Amino acid sequence: MRVVVAGGAGFLGSHLCERFLADGAEVICVDNFLTGRPENVDALRAHPAFRLLRRDVTGPVDLAGPLDAVVNLASPASPVDYRALPLETLAAGARGTGRLLELARRKKARLVLASTSEVYGDPQVHPQPEGYWGHVNPVGPRSMYDEAKRFAEALTTAHRATHGTRTGIVRIFNTYGPRMRADDGRAVPTFVTQALAGKPLTVAGDGTQTRSLCYVDDLVDGLVRMTVGDHPGPVNLGNPEELSMLDLARLVARLCGDQAPIAFVSRPPDDPGMRRPDVSLALAELDWRPRVTLADGLARTIDWFRLRAAAPPPVPRQPGPARLPAQDG
Ligand code: NAD
């Protein structure tokens, strides 16, 4: 199998590249390093079946040779990132998705779009099944991300209907694990880095808002099943174990072996009050269910952040990522 992972140098993408390589696939990682890091895939660069292309998917994406699948993960994903990069986020969802759909159509490849639970907005149905249309503010502070993904889903659906492109849509719920950026604003890396530094854990609002957290290995397994299957989706992928942000902060503090205090900070506007996937479709269609418990996944994540904090700072690249090939050979 020969697969393109767009956004492959990001958090999820780098784990997905690794998994495809372990399964014997040939992997072309396409990334412009907007929010991802070359170091996420450094260890893969020596692998004979791995290729890294520095490329913006909102521009032309022509690749030589046959392709079996394209997994479209290329988009800023954390609230800190997409608020700082609103136009890039909308362009990735619209133009980037369009370019990758065209690539998949030309190559007769399967395209899997990484959509998000954010398409449900601040949900009024709980847990969220795929049939729920969502409750989204189109001009709110999260709209550049939510609407980019909703448009990407619509474009993917239209491509399938118009051109017969073999597409699949997954809606990913909050996922965590090693290689998240400490400064990306998401709850797990924020709490873990605060706890490891002995700082107070900053919980938004009163902390009663809930999330459901999926460990990255489970999520990647669902993505692979979707890629090798033929279900059009949308299919929810996430861990239905739900907990409040305050409980998460307390758990992280305990697992870090510290008695780090909790500090309450103001809650961002349009922050969803609850999130929990209904994953019965993924179970029925992909035979997929998350297997890693929250305590296990957090322990692995904390170990990774601990090792990273102890490691010497990375040697600056000379020259930087720009040295990577901009065109495929
Ligand atoms: P990430 O920011 O770590 O990875 C995204 C990658 O896409 C980065 O490497 C970035 O450089 C790259 N990218 C962005 N715009 C690009 C462009 N125009 N051209 C080429 N590359 C581009 O984020 P992540 O958490 O790994 O998320 C990956 C995907 O999964 C995103 O599409 C995101 O919306 C989706 N998702 C993630 C989560 C989660 O909890 N991690 C939840 C829901 C959906």
Side-chain angles (χ1 to χ4, degrees), residues 187-203 213 243-264 294-295 298-299 301-303 306:
V188 169
T190 303
F191 289 159
V192 170
T193 46
Q194 288 171 333
L196 291 178
K199 294 185 176 156
L201 276 63
T202 48
V203 172
L213 299 169
L243 84 170
S244 74
M245 288 297 92
L246 184 55
D247 285 343
L248 176 66
R250 288 184 176 135
L251 180 59
V252 168
R254 186 163 58 74
L255 290 171
C256 286
D258 198 20
Q259 294 308 311
I262 307 285
F264 293 94
L294 183 61
L298 282 176
T301 307
I302 290 165
D303 282 350
R306 204 174 252 136

Side-chain angles (χ1 to χ4, degrees), residues 47-301:
H47 197 296
F50 180 77
R51 221 161 113 217
L52 176 60
L53 298 179
R54 186 177 61 88
R55 184 93 49 96
D56 185 334
V57 297
T58 66
V61 192
D62 290 322
L63 296 169
L67 273 184
D68 300 295
V70 177
V71 184
N72 179 9
L73 298 160
S75 168
S78 85
V80 165
D81 289 340
Y82 59 69
R83 275 183 205 141
L85 300 162
L87 298 179
E88 292 84 348
T89 302
L90 284 156
R95 284 204 297 275
T97 300
R99 297 279 192 184
L100 293 169
L101 280 163
E102 278 304 320
L103 175 69
R105 182 170 77 94
R106 282 196 305 276
K107 302 285 184 180
K108 299 188 175 13
R110 161 100 160 149
L111 179 131
V112 172
L113 169 70
S115 183
T116 169
S117 57
E118 298 286 340
V119 301
Y120 301 123
D122 189 2
Q124 294 169 315
V125 169
H126 194 68
Q128 293 82 54
E130 290 84 353
Y132 176 51
W133 294 353
H135 180 230
V136 177
N137 177 355
V139 291
R142 307 169 82 97
S143 59
M144 69 294 285
Y145 183 64
D146 301 7
E147 297 296 2
K149 291 291 185 181
R150 288 169 70 98
F151 181 84
E153 287 200 15
L155 185 58
T156 301
T157 304
H159 230 269
R160 185 182 181 90
T162 307
H163 298 302
T165 316
R166 294 190 297 117
T167 58
I169 298 171
V170 290
R171 292 183 180 151
I172 301 172
F173 283 64
N174 295 76
T175 301
Y176 69 98
R179 300 199 197 118
M180 295 185 92
R181 295 201 329 269
D183 63 352
D184 83 359
R186 294 187 265 199
V188 169
T190 303
F191 289 159
V192 170
T193 46
Q194 288 171 333
L196 291 178
K199 294 185 176 156
L201 276 63
T202 48
V203 172
D206 62 4
T208 53
Q209 68 277 20
T210 64
R211 296 293 182 272
S212 305
L213 299 169
C214 186
Y215 187 66
V216 62
D217 289 359
D218 281 335
L219 196 282
V220 160
D221 185 57
L223 278 176
V224 170
R225 285 169 192 254
M226 191 68 178
T227 306
V228 300
D230 60 5
H231 197 281
V235 176
N236 286 339
L237 292 179
N239 191 322
E241 201 188 324
E242 182 181 6
L243 84 170
S244 74
M245 288 297 92
L246 184 55
D247 285 343
L248 176 66
R250 288 184 176 135
L251 180 59
V252 168
R254 186 163 58 74
L255 290 171
C256 286
D258 198 20
Q259 294 308 311
I262 307 285
F264 293 94
V265 297
S266 61
R267 195 160 155 211
D270 290 359
D271 187 39
M274 53 195 173
R275 273 290 162 69
R276 175 152 61 99
D278 177 335
V279 289
S280 35
L281 187 63
L283 180 61
E285 294 294 336
L286 308 177
D287 191 24
W288 176 86
R289 63 165 66 80
R291 295 179 188 280
V292 181
T293 64
L294 183 61
D296 274 358
L298 282 176
R300 293 184 210 176
T301 307

